[in-house]
Amino acid sequence: MRFEAGTEVAAEAGRVWAVLVDIERWPEWTPSVRRARRGESGPLVVGATARLEQPKLRPAVWRVTELADGRSFSWVSGSPGVRTLGGHRVLPLPGGRSRVELTITQTGPLAGPVGWLYGDLMRRYLWLEADGLRRRCERD
């Protein structure tokens, strides 16, 4: 199962990236995250973790698996029967604008049933995150 959301942002990619990787502040700009806590201090790096609490979902610990500083990061979280990969990408556009692309990909024996049960919620959360990030970055 794969879910996607994206938006254009009237802000430079560096600004968007800085807001995106400040994970503990996500609850300030997206209602899809109630609480976010990094497992380690310092910059986001491969192996870093964060615990997210989201409405209607169990708390999850995410571990960064890929990072292209200033451009993208992916992280993974697991639960019985489902592995969830979250992708976050910031692309610079002409005129000081950016494009944000967010993805959720689920694999494993329960990915189909979980996607069927929670697909609408996941689509909604991705859209809330993309739109909230856009609004936060365009605000200043």
Side-chain angles (χ1 to χ4, degrees):
M1 302 296 295
R2 182 175 168 89
F3 307 95
E4 302 176 357
T7 190
E8 287 194 14
V9 183
E12 291 189 3
R15 163 82 175 131
V16 177
W17 179 256
V19 172
L20 182 63
V21 297
D22 191 359
I23 294 164
E24 290 191 340
R25 296 187 73 178
W26 286 12
E28 296 175 11
W29 52 262
T30 179
S32 65
V33 177
R34 269 195 219 135
R35 188 171 184 182
R37 292 288 172 251
R38 288 278 311 276
E40 307 79 20
S41 60
L44 196 65
V45 295
V46 171
T49 60
R51 183 176 192 271
L52 298 184
E53 296 177 19
Q54 297 182 270
K56 301 182 182 181
L57 297 174
R58 299 180 82 144
V61 174
W62 295 84
R63 179 172 306 278
V64 177
T65 56
E66 294 180 33
L67 176 77
D69 196 33
R71 295 184 312 224
S72 66
F73 77 92
S74 296
W75 59 8
V76 66
S77 181
S79 60
V82 180
R83 179 179 186 266
T84 303
L85 176 68
H88 311 78
R89 205 160 105 175
V90 179
L91 304 165
L93 298 174
R97 297 180 60 81
S98 305
R99 173 144 185 89
V100 173
E101 296 175 350
L102 306 174
T103 61
I104 290 286
T105 305
Q106 294 184 311
T107 58
L110 297 179
V114 168
W116 184 78
L117 288 170
Y118 290 96
D120 288 343
L121 182 67
M122 286 184 232
R123 283 182 200 91
R124 182 171 183 264
Y125 281 4
L126 284 174
W127 182 85
L128 286 170
E129 290 164 20
D131 189 60
L133 180 60
R134 179 191 57 78
R135 284 184 287 111
R136 170 56 64 98
C137 293
E138 290 178 352
R139 176 176 89 181
D140 297 329

